[in-house]
Amino acid sequence: MKSLSEELKWRGFYNQTTLKDPSEVDKNKFTFYFGVDPSSDSMTIGNLSTVMMIKHFIRAGHKPVLLVGGATGLIGDPDGKSEERQLIGQDQLKKNVQAITGQFDKIFEGEKYEIVDNIDWFKDIKFIDFLRDVGKHVPMRQMLGRDFVQSRLGEDGSGISYAEFSYSLMQGYDFLHLYRTKKATLQLCGSDQWGNSIAGVELIRRVDGGEAHVWTSPLVLNKTTGQKFGKTENGAIWLDPKKTSVFDFYQFWLNVEDDSAEEYLKIYTLLDKTDIEEILDKFSKDKGSRTAQKKLAYEVTKIVHGKAQADSSVKVTGILFEGSDYSGLTSSEIELLKGAFGSVKGRAGDSLVDVLTGVRLASSKGEARRLLEQNAIKLNGKPVGADYSLNNSDKIAQNSAVLKKGKNNFAVIDL
């Protein structure tokens, strides 16, 4: 069995650390913290990579404190931003905190963990006290030396407000507070948070004379674009099924590039080395089978949305793309499709030409007829003629029918 430090390096979860020797995470059991600012009402798969690293720390016996930044979220992390962030209203921020807390609860179900919100300690801090007790111990050189500060203050920079400039001070204080109240001595984060995390390490040393450390994982990048992983032409890939449907989430992983599949299997699943090597061996012998992507998509969907939804995603994909019988769709699987494609009302007797234009699978009645004549439209997996009208025999689960145009365009009809 690999040690934790070896496991983390093998999986790609090691970028840099303040620990003298990474193997210290094998010898000592840390209380660690990981923080997310609720700038949205959902985490993305970018956040998920660090969350997966946390799972390995928990498995190795380390104690997690998960922070949702109800206070720091009111300001927003300026690192990596070329312009000032738009402030989020407090009511929306509270909703975001609740939503991300719910995602933590789902992903870490069955584990021992604690969730905290930094608004609980920041709300009672007085400004003068904070400057005297915290700000006094933070050198300006340390803050001014940050790359994003230099960029924003440079000749072509947009400038930076005092609020955003002070963000790293707030995050540093989070570490100090959790060091004092939870005995947290390690922060886990992505490599882009190194500077903010070091601010906490330094604050603990200067104010309390204590020792604390940081462990960062590399940012996961899209090999094709060089951008942060999880961004697509349609936007970010979210963990919230209302923002990225379960079906679309599964399809995203199913369609990752061949040369990225190994990296993502290591980062985004809990499969062990033997299992991953066996999958990759089969995949290397037949890339067309997409064995690696199929296993990846199933495992990640299971972690984020649960086994039932992952199983449904596999089945629905087989029906829509591999020619399985549509009559096998269940009510829950129809709901999965509705989450991805929405649904429209239809009645027995409705002309399919009119339905196709109504669901925007065709831009005109003329195009709809041409598509039907070319057998480019299927109803519940079967071609239908240009004169076809809906009838009650078209109903499958939930009294619905599924239209398919070409390879990848679908619509659900409620009959």
Side-chain angles (χ1 to χ4, degrees), residues 219-340:
L219 295 181
V220 183
L221 300 178
N222 184 310
K223 287 183 170 63
T224 303
T225 65
Q227 301 298 313
K228 285 185 180 180
F229 181 60
K231 295 284 188 179
T232 71
E233 291 180 2
N234 298 320
I237 303 300
W238 303 93
L239 306 192
D240 185 341
K242 295 187 180 77
K243 296 169 80 74
T244 298
S245 72
V246 176
F247 179 80
D248 287 336
F249 186 86
Y250 178 85
Q251 295 301 316
F252 171 82
W253 296 102
L254 191 62
N255 289 290
V256 299
E257 304 89 344
D258 289 350
D259 61 356
S260 297
E262 178 177 356
E263 177 186 1
Y264 301 156
L265 278 167
K266 291 177 180 178
I267 292 173
Y268 287 102
T269 79
L270 295 172
L271 298 171
D272 62 26
K273 187 173 186 291
T274 301
D275 288 338
I276 290 176
E277 287 177 344
E278 182 178 336
I279 292 165
L280 293 173
D281 181 58
K282 290 179 181 178
F283 181 53
S284 67
K285 294 174 181 175
D286 181 10
K287 293 290 181 70
S289 68
R290 303 191 70 75
T291 304
Q293 286 95 335
K294 288 178 180 179
K295 190 63 175 176
L296 171 68
Y298 179 78
E299 292 296 326
V300 185
T301 304
K302 183 172 68 172
I303 288 168
V304 175
H305 296 297
K307 184 177 184 299
Q309 292 282 50
D311 289 340
S312 291
S313 296
V314 173
K315 182 179 174 182
V316 167
T317 297
I319 289 172
L320 296 187
F321 300 110
E322 298 169 12
S324 300
D325 186 359
Y326 277 63
S327 64
L329 286 169
T330 65
S331 293
S332 62
E333 288 153 4
I334 289 291
E335 284 300 317
L336 189 77
L337 288 174
K338 288 181 179 180

Side-chain angles (χ1 to χ4, degrees), residues 60-285:
H62 300 272
K63 180 181 177 181
V65 178
L66 309 175
L67 183 150
V68 184
T72 41
L74 288 168
I75 305 301
D77 186 357
D79 202 350
K81 304 295 180 182
S82 60
E83 295 182 351
E84 193 85 6
R85 283 176 177 267
Q86 292 292 320
L87 296 179
I88 301 172
Q90 293 195 34
D91 289 343
Q92 182 60 53
L93 199 72
K94 288 178 182 177
K95 293 178 182 177
N96 293 355
V97 168
Q98 291 174 350
I100 291 175
T101 298
Q103 289 179 344
F104 276 146
D105 285 335
K106 187 165 188 176
I107 292 171
F108 291 106
E109 184 178 5
E111 308 282 6
K112 291 183 179 180
Y113 60 93
E114 181 177 4
I115 298 178
V116 297
D117 182 348
N118 59 13
I119 196 67
D120 292 336
W121 52 86
F122 272 110
K123 66 183 179 182
D124 296 323
I125 295 178
K126 295 180 179 180
F127 183 65
I128 296 296
D129 292 340
F130 189 70
L131 290 180
R132 286 178 61 86
D133 298 340
V134 180
K136 187 68 175 175
H137 299 278
V138 180
M140 284 295 293
R141 179 182 296 177
Q142 176 182 318
M143 298 180 72
L144 287 169
R146 301 286 301 279
D147 288 342
F148 79 89
V149 174
Q150 293 295 314
S151 174
R152 295 271 287 271
L153 293 179
E155 185 175 340
D156 297 325
S158 63
I160 186 169
S161 68
Y162 179 76
E164 285 200 349
F165 180 71
S166 302
Y167 179 90
S168 63
L169 187 61
M170 294 180 69
Q171 187 171 319
Y173 184 75
D174 284 341
F175 204 169
L176 176 62
H177 178 82
L178 295 175
Y179 171 82
R180 289 171 169 173
T181 60
K182 306 295 182 183
K183 298 182 179 179
T185 55
L186 179 66
Q187 181 177 357
L188 303 187
C189 56
S191 59
D192 59 337
Q193 290 296 308
W194 176 260
N196 289 334
S197 302
I198 290 297
V201 170
E202 284 296 303
L203 201 56
I204 290 168
R205 181 181 66 81
R206 290 171 180 272
V207 177
D208 281 12
E211 181 180 344
H213 294 280
V214 179
W215 181 292
T216 69
S217 62
L219 295 181
V220 183
L221 300 178
N222 184 310
K223 287 183 170 63
T224 303
T225 65
Q227 301 298 313
K228 285 185 180 180
F229 181 60
K231 295 284 188 179
T232 71
E233 291 180 2
N234 298 320
I237 303 300
W238 303 93
L239 306 192
D240 185 341
K242 295 187 180 77
K243 296 169 80 74
T244 298
S245 72
V246 176
F247 179 80
D248 287 336
F249 186 86
Y250 178 85
Q251 295 301 316
F252 171 82
W253 296 102
L254 191 62
N255 289 290
V256 299
E257 304 89 344
D258 289 350
D259 61 356
S260 297
E262 178 177 356
E263 177 186 1
Y264 301 156
L265 278 167
K266 291 177 180 178
I267 292 173
Y268 287 102
T269 79
L270 295 172
L271 298 171
D272 62 26
K273 187 173 186 291
T274 301
D275 288 338
I276 290 176
E277 287 177 344
E278 182 178 336
I279 292 165
L280 293 173
D281 181 58
K282 290 179 181 178
F283 181 53
S284 67
K285 294 174 181 175

